[in-house]
Amino acid sequence: MKENRWEMVSGILLDCLEVDISERRVYLDSLGLEHGVRTEVESLLAIEDGAESLMNFSAIELSEGYFDESPTENAVAGQTFGAYMVIREIGSGGMGAVYLAERADGKFEQKVALKLLKREMNTAALRRRFQQERQILASLEHENIARLMDAGSTDDNVPFIAMEYIEGLPINEYCNRNNLDIVHRLDLFREVCLAVDFAHRNLVVHRDLKPSNILVNESGTPKLLDFGISKILSTDLSGEGSNTITKLGVMTPGYASPEQLRSESVSTATDIYSLGVILFELLSGHRPFETKENDLKEIYSAIIDSEPPLPSVMAASDSNRNPYAADADQTLDYNADVANRGQAPNRDQIETKANRTLQTNAQSSQLSSSQLRGDLDNIILMALRKEPERRYSSVEKFSEDLKRHLQGLPVTARPNTFSYRAEKFIKRNKVGAIAGGLIVLAIIGGLIATLWQASIAQAERAKAEGRFNDVRNLANSFLFSLSPKIEKLPGSIEARQELVTLALEYLDSLSQEAGDDLELQRELATAYAKVGDVQGNPNNANIGDVRNAIKSYEKALGIRQKLFEKEPESLTLMNELADIYIRIADLQTQIGNRDERKPLLQKSFVLLEKILEREPANFEARKNLAIYFSRQGMVLFEEAKYADSVTYNERASDIYEKLKIEGGDDPQILENYANTFMGIGLGQGWNNDLQGGDENLQKSVELLSSLAEKYPNDTNIKFSLMFAYYVLAQNTTDLGDVPKTKMEYEKALAIGQNSIKADPQNIRAKRQLAMTMNNLAGVVNSGELYSSALELMQEVRKADPNNPHIAYQTALVIFHSAEDALEKKNYESSIALYEKAKDAMQGVIELEPNFINAIRVRLFCFRYIGNNYEALAEKGNRAKNLQKALENYRRALDGLTRMKNHETLGEFDLKLVPEVQAMIEKVEESMAK
């Protein structure tokens, strides 16, 4: 026989050997083999039938023949293979057996699932398949996939694989035993999707997905097992025979796809079908065709030709059949199907386990059919479509549709149309001209009836479409007409929040009816972005709900990303994506996730570069690019890279210089332009160029003052002006001009107080007013102002307790109160306040470890505590107080030196290192006397 023909015959033979003898003829009929190949296979099967006493041995008996031991269930316990000693058998299949083993070389403790090819199956073809499984496992490193730990061969060249040992339950049993609700089941299933999608991205199709190959451990983490019949899609990994079509004998019929049963080539769509069956079972308690599974011919026919029922209908079924009865057969067969279950293969024990499983499952609560009706029905049935190309294009998209359902967003899965069902009906019933004619007549009759009904319903449909458009226009009026007109008005936060939320409710409702309307989806994304602005955008008046603001922005991002996938050349969508990345980056800064801010800004920059490469004059892209440069300037300022911060703000200023000419009187452009001079001046001042900083800050104040006069009701411009006065006053303090400092702080104070009076819920106003009070208190030595500032900051922090910036500013008020007590020579009170400020700054650092200013001010606390103790030494307890002063000075010096070495100490603060060193030397001299 020719070699290639023998490869085909041997492959079919091996699969047939795994099918019950009574079902082999049906199975061979289904393959449509050439007569010669069929004859060869049947002749070899006849030999197998004659050797029934050998081939029908149980897995235990075959193990006995291989290992030459007595026929006990743990015949190989204690034997060593490579570095592993067998404890007991935990599974057995057609090609091999799996054992629980532990590392025996003493290097470290480790349990593994040891898979051995049976000696009597040790053929070249099966060794190749075993080698393929090893290659596949080696390429799959994922937290939800059982890992390959080791591999090797016995002395007589029988291969083995050592895999991660998983103690857990099949996913369906885990869900039922723990009575998981629908949300947790979907979340768990989406974790499985991550693993399968990872395998697909590494060019591996599993081909035998079923609950017993997905174990969930005690921590609730699912693990994907058994890549023994997987297909490698990469030509780099595929060896001879690796692309052989998988036959029914080595997979589970209930979870097999139509193309597998038709003996066609498989693809990632095959796994999507099996995942659809698994999700069907997890949510309804049934498999689509479970009543047919006891008959091979019927299950073939059902999966290939019959449309699956709705999961919601199956879940609502009043059938007396236990929906988990089929699990008993699977449980009895665990020793063949599950490579990592920790149970001995004694049949009595397995039957006991099966009965226990049935009792547990029968007691578990059923999910409501109403929860499945609609989206989930459509999602599951899309995964179960007969044609692979009509299923989800990837597991990722399958999982994404489930995520959209959980978020209340429209899903991409749509019900099958009448024309599709009719087409499938005709294809399944080609029984002659008469039947075909009857079908055509039936379809024509149905079309006539449909047209007649359509003519009656046309007027009602027109009314419904009119109402749809009316509601949509109303929502758009809220978002794009009314909201922009009131968003900058004093006291408008509550009204804006109610307005935008109401509009969002309208659009959410509409999106369920018009999921394919791209323009409506864009409107929905804009609505989510506006809700996020009201909730916590630090550049607008907001209610301080930063974390929910991030969630709203991420919803907008998700929609825009999906739209961008459909229109990857759309410059408008690129701009909208760049904008939402910047907004999310702003908020990540507010909650201390600075590491996440940079990649978000970089994504924005990449999109803007693409736009400007194609359209250098694109106004929106240049505006967003200027915003990006300003944000980068802020990042660099916070990293104490003040010169670089100035450079980025100057680049933003250059862009706004041109945009304000093109944009006419756009107040946002003019405001942002003025703010760039504030950024430049701030960076210059901290870089020890106080005079240059003063000039740019004065320019910012002048521009913003002019805008505030022109737009008196624009709260954003007022806040920018307030902050400009505040920063100018800080810089003037360092210049030593006390009267001017006081005047600038008082201007900022007046704006803040008026803002709070107009809008008591405005968190942004409260926060800025508190910081202005804090700084002014230091100028005028007012304990009352410090108290008021701290009270306001505590209100702000209560609204957002995990915000490191707010925590820092609250600690800063305490720090300045301590300074005031020191200046008034209330040393003991000052020490107590500095200790409190020091602890508060430590709390900030715990929220955000790289918060440079918090680290810096905490070190200042040590320095000034030392000043207090040194002053107290003049009054008494000299030795003790000097020792305390020395300890605090040394801690301050150590920290400042580390900052200097790491280049995180700004130019302005470098002088502190020799100053503190001199203090230490002075105290040491005093103590030596």
Side-chain angles (χ1 to χ4, degrees):
M1 185 185 301
K2 292 183 179 179
E3 184 177 351
N4 57 354
R5 179 158 175 172
W6 167 242
E7 290 290 341
M8 180 186 298
V9 170
S10 63
I12 296 168
L13 177 64
L14 288 172
D15 288 341
C16 280
L17 291 175
E18 303 230 12
V19 179
D20 289 342
I21 293 175
S22 61
E23 297 174 340
R24 287 176 183 169
R25 182 173 295 280
V26 176
Y27 173 60
L28 288 172
D29 288 343
S30 72
L31 298 181
L33 300 173
E34 294 179 5
H35 177 72
V37 174
R38 172 81 178 249
T39 302
E40 292 288 350
V41 172
E42 288 180 335
S43 67
L44 292 169
L45 286 173
I47 297 173
E48 183 269 340
D49 291 339
E52 185 176 352
S53 60
L54 171 64
M55 297 308 291
N56 287 339
F57 280 162
S58 69
I60 305 301
E61 292 168 317
L62 289 174
S63 298
E64 173 198 359
Y66 174 63
F67 292 105
D68 195 24
E69 296 218 1
S70 58
T72 64
E73 65 179 26
N74 287 316
V76 298
Q79 292 198 32
T80 300
F81 300 90
Y84 304 98
M85 183 177 71
V86 172
I87 298 174
R88 67 172 183 271
E89 182 177 330
I90 56 175
S92 178
M95 291 194 300
V98 182
Y99 302 89
L100 174 60
E102 61 184 2
R103 199 167 185 98
D105 58 8
K107 291 183 178 179
F108 49 86
E109 292 185 4
Q110 182 185 57
K111 287 185 177 180
V112 298
L114 194 70
K115 187 170 185 177
L116 287 164
L117 185 64
K118 294 177 183 177
R119 187 182 65 178
E120 69 277 3
M121 304 299 288
N122 189 18
T123 66
L126 286 182
R127 279 198 300 273
R128 282 197 300 272
R129 184 178 287 183
F130 214 72
Q131 173 68 15
Q132 176 178 319
E133 181 177 2
R134 188 168 75 180
Q135 288 176 288
I136 289 170
L137 288 171
S139 70
L140 299 179
E141 280 287 337
H142 190 275
E143 62 181 348
N144 296 114
I145 296 177
R147 292 172 296 141
L148 174 68
M149 311 300 290
D150 200 355
S153 299
T154 63
D155 292 339
D156 51 351
N157 201 33
V158 177
F160 68 83
I161 297 173
M163 297 172 290
E164 178 184 4
Y165 174 64
I166 309 298
E167 291 188 83
L169 295 171
I171 188 170
N172 57 341
E173 187 176 339
Y174 177 87
C175 289
N176 296 329
R177 284 201 175 191
N178 291 281
N179 289 326
L180 297 189
D181 61 23
I182 194 166
V183 173
H184 287 91
R185 290 179 189 232
L186 291 176
D187 286 342
L188 191 64
F189 180 79
R190 291 188 68 232
E191 284 193 65
V192 175
C193 288
L194 285 175
V196 178
D197 183 59
F198 177 81
H200 289 179
R201 290 176 186 274
N202 283 272
L203 307 178
V204 173
V205 182
H206 190 284
R207 302 204 292 188
D208 193 22
L209 291 171
K210 54 190 175 184
S212 59
N213 277 340
I214 305 167
L215 299 188
V216 184
N217 62 24
E218 289 184 355
S219 67
T221 301
K223 293 278 190 176
L224 188 56
L225 313 175
D226 200 353
F227 284 81
I229 66 165
S230 302
K231 175 180 179 180
I232 304 177
L233 301 178
S234 169
T235 55
D236 294 335
L237 286 176
S238 59
E240 186 181 353
S242 67
N243 287 324
T244 303
I245 297 169
T246 304
K247 305 300 190 299
L248 181 62
V250 287
M251 61 191 174
T252 308
Y255 301 94
S257 66
E259 61 267 27
Q260 284 176 292
L261 299 187
R262 288 193 296 262
S263 300
E264 297 172 354
S265 293
V266 300
S267 65
T268 55
T270 300
D271 283 349
I272 291 171
Y273 183 94
S274 299
L275 285 171
V277 178
I278 293 169
L279 184 57
F280 194 117
E281 184 174 8
L282 290 182
L283 300 187
S284 73
H286 301 262
R287 288 178 293 282
F289 305 110
E290 61 186 18
T291 59
K292 312 285 187 181
E293 290 176 4
N294 291 328
D295 186 299
L296 189 62
K297 189 172 183 178
E298 284 194 19
I299 190 65
Y300 255 70
S301 176
I303 292 175
I304 292 174
D305 295 324
S306 301
E307 292 298 330
L310 291 172
S312 59
V313 172
M314 294 289 280
S317 172
D318 292 327
S319 170
N320 291 325
R321 179 187 179 277
N322 186 331
Y324 301 100
D327 288 344
D329 296 332
Q330 290 185 357
T331 306
L332 290 173
D333 208 23
Y334 275 168
N335 63 322
D337 283 340
V338 184
N340 278 311
R341 297 298 302 278
Q343 300 166 15
N346 177 284
R347 188 165 183 85
D348 291 337
Q349 290 178 321
I350 295 170
E351 288 176 348
T352 300
K353 172 65 178 175
N355 292 332
R356 189 163 64 248
T357 299
L358 285 177
Q359 292 168 4
T360 301
N361 290 338
Q363 293 167 0
S364 66
S365 60
Q366 291 285 323
L367 299 176
S368 168
S369 63
S370 63
Q371 293 176 283
L372 311 185
R373 195 174 300 124
D375 279 356
L376 288 175
D377 276 341
N378 290 337
I379 289 170
I380 294 171
L381 293 186
M382 183 166 175
L384 296 179
R385 286 177 177 172
K386 303 300 181 189
E387 306 90 343
E389 67 275 7
R390 297 191 74 247
R391 298 172 204 151
Y392 287 99
S393 60
S394 69
V395 176
E396 180 184 21
K397 292 189 182 299
F398 185 6
S399 177
E400 180 65 25
D401 236 9
L402 293 172
K403 180 181 177 182
R404 293 174 68 83
H405 168 74
L406 290 170
Q407 292 177 338
L409 296 173
V411 300
T412 60
R414 310 300 299 167
N416 285 338
T417 62
F418 170 81
S419 61
Y420 170 71
R421 292 196 303 272
E423 176 188 349
K424 296 302 294 179
F425 179 78
I426 293 171
K427 286 183 178 180
R428 291 196 303 270
N429 293 274
K430 295 179 179 178
V431 293
I434 296 176
L438 290 174
I439 292 169
V440 171
L441 289 173
I443 293 174
I444 292 172
L447 286 171
I448 292 171
T450 300
L451 290 171
W452 180 68
Q453 292 290 338
S455 65
I456 295 175
Q458 186 173 8
E460 291 300 318
R461 185 163 57 249
K463 288 180 183 179
E465 289 175 354
R467 286 194 296 270
F468 179 93
N469 288 324
D470 287 343
V471 174
R472 180 172 178 174
N473 290 335
L474 179 61
N476 284 334
S477 295
F478 283 161
L479 284 172
F480 304 114
S481 180
L482 292 178
S483 182
K485 290 178 180 177
I486 71 169
E487 66 183 10
K488 297 178 182 180
L489 295 177
S492 65
I493 288 182
E494 188 174 346
R496 284 182 61 212
Q497 185 181 21
E498 184 173 350
L499 193 92
V500 177
T501 302
L502 186 60
L504 185 60
E505 288 176 0
Y506 282 141
L507 289 172
D508 275 339
S509 174
L510 295 177
S511 70
Q512 302 300 318
E513 303 175 43
D516 293 331
D517 187 331
L518 300 185
E519 189 59 35
L520 180 59
Q521 293 301 310
R522 284 191 62 196
E523 292 165 14
L524 187 61
T526 301
Y528 280 126
K530 285 186 174 290
V531 169
D533 287 344
V534 178
Q535 290 170 318
N537 189 324
N539 303 304
N540 296 315
N542 64 83
I543 60 172
D545 191 0
V546 175
R547 294 185 185 277
N548 279 321
I550 291 175
K551 290 180 181 178
S552 295
Y553 283 156
E554 287 177 341
K555 288 179 181 179
L557 174 62
I559 295 171
R560 287 173 178 174
Q561 286 174 329
K562 290 297 180 185
L563 292 173
F564 188 54
E565 288 178 5
K566 296 177 181 178
E567 298 182 65
E569 299 302 315
S570 169
L571 299 186
T572 300
L573 283 170
M574 288 184 193
N575 260 318
E576 290 175 348
L577 275 174
D579 171 72
I580 203 68
Y581 281 132
I582 290 172
R583 295 190 197 208
I584 297 173
D586 286 343
L587 293 190
Q588 293 295 352
T589 305
Q590 294 295 307
I591 61 173
N593 293 340
R594 293 173 185 265
D595 290 341
E596 295 186 24
R597 173 177 56 176
K598 287 185 178 180
L600 287 166
L601 289 175
Q602 182 60 29
K603 287 180 180 179
S604 175
F605 181 64
V606 169
L607 287 167
L608 295 171
E609 273 195 320
K610 287 181 180 179
I611 298 171
L612 294 172
E613 281 176 6
R614 288 167 54 182
E615 285 190 10
N618 188 296
F619 188 89
E620 285 299 316
R622 286 187 293 149
K623 185 174 74 172
N624 280 328
L625 184 63
I627 295 171
Y628 163 79
F629 283 139
S630 295
R631 297 301 189 272
Q632 279 294 97
M634 187 185 302
V635 170
L636 293 163
F637 178 83
E638 291 168 359
E639 293 176 349
K641 298 175 182 176
Y642 303 124
D644 292 337
S645 172
V646 169
T647 300
Y648 270 89
N649 276 291
E650 287 174 340
R651 293 174 74 177
S653 187
D654 290 342
I655 296 174
Y656 284 127
E657 179 77 38
K658 297 180 179 67
L659 292 178
K660 73 184 182 70
I661 298 172
E662 298 173 33
D665 288 336
D666 185 334
Q668 184 184 13
I669 297 291
L670 297 172
E671 179 194 352
N672 288 349
Y673 175 61
N675 285 337
T676 61
F677 293 103
M678 195 192 315
I680 293 167
L682 188 62
Q684 287 173 325
W686 280 77
N687 203 37
N688 215 22
D689 180 9
L690 295 174
Q691 194 58 49
D694 185 71
E695 291 173 5
N696 279 293
L697 291 169
Q698 288 282 7
K699 187 171 184 178
S700 177
V701 165
E702 290 168 7
L703 290 169
L704 289 167
S705 296
S706 176
L707 282 173
E709 290 178 8
K710 189 173 183 178
Y711 303 100
N713 293 322
D714 192 319
T715 55
N716 285 341
I717 292 175
K718 283 184 178 179
F719 274 113
S720 289
L721 178 58
M722 180 183 179
F723 191 63
Y725 282 132
Y726 173 85
V727 176
L728 177 59
Q730 284 184 317
N731 195 74
T732 307
T733 302
D734 294 328
L735 284 169
D737 190 343
V738 176
K740 185 178 179 183
T741 298
K742 180 174 178 292
M743 180 179 66
E744 304 300 347
Y745 275 135
E746 286 175 342
K747 290 177 182 176
L749 186 72
I751 295 174
Q753 288 173 331
N754 289 333
S755 297
I756 294 292
K757 190 182 297 183
D759 196 350
Q761 302 302 316
N762 194 330
I763 294 296
R764 183 187 184 195
K766 288 183 180 181
R767 180 176 173 183
Q768 188 56 50
L769 179 59
M771 295 312 299
T772 303
M773 286 179 169
N774 171 69
N775 286 16
L776 180 58
V779 176
V780 299
N781 296 320
S782 170
E784 184 179 342
L785 274 175
Y786 279 127
S787 298
S788 298
L790 185 59
E791 185 178 339
L792 272 176
M793 282 308 304
Q794 286 171 338
E795 284 183 37
V796 173
R797 184 148 195 225
K798 187 176 180 181
D800 194 1
N802 295 316
N803 186 319
H805 283 263
I806 293 174
Y808 169 73
Q809 289 174 336
T810 306
L812 203 58
V813 175
I814 303 169
F815 175 82
H816 288 144
S817 300
E819 279 186 323
D820 182 61
L822 175 58
E823 287 180 10
K824 294 175 180 176
K825 299 184 179 180
N826 297 330
Y827 301 124
E828 292 180 353
S829 175
S830 178
I831 289 172
L833 285 167
Y834 275 125
E835 290 286 356
K836 187 176 179 181
K838 175 171 64 69
D839 292 342
M841 287 297 174
Q842 181 59 37
V844 176
I845 295 165
E846 287 171 3
L847 287 172
E848 186 178 340
N850 295 320
F851 201 131
I852 299 298
N853 277 340
I855 297 169
R856 169 180 168 270
V857 176
R858 184 171 180 272
L859 296 174
F860 291 175
C861 289
F862 287 114
R863 177 236 177 125
Y864 292 120
I865 291 171
N867 289 160
N868 276 289
Y869 277 117
E870 192 175 355
L872 284 173
E874 300 297 324
K875 296 186 174 184
N877 291 325
R878 185 172 181 277
K880 180 180 178 182
N881 285 324
L882 286 176
Q883 182 61 39
K884 288 279 190 181
L886 184 62
E887 290 172 2
N888 281 281
Y889 286 149
R890 284 174 174 168
R891 293 195 67 177
L893 181 62
D894 287 346
L896 290 168
T897 303
R898 282 196 300 273
M899 289 187 72
K900 179 183 177 182
N901 293 338
H902 286 92
E903 297 182 351
T904 55
L905 196 64
E907 184 73 25
F908 190 75
D909 291 328
L910 286 174
K911 62 185 180 182
L912 295 176
V913 176
E915 284 181 8
V916 177
Q917 180 64 55
M919 292 174 187
I920 292 172
E921 291 171 0
K922 178 186 172 186
V923 172
E924 287 175 340
E925 288 176 6
S926 297
M927 293 177 69
K929 292 179 181 178

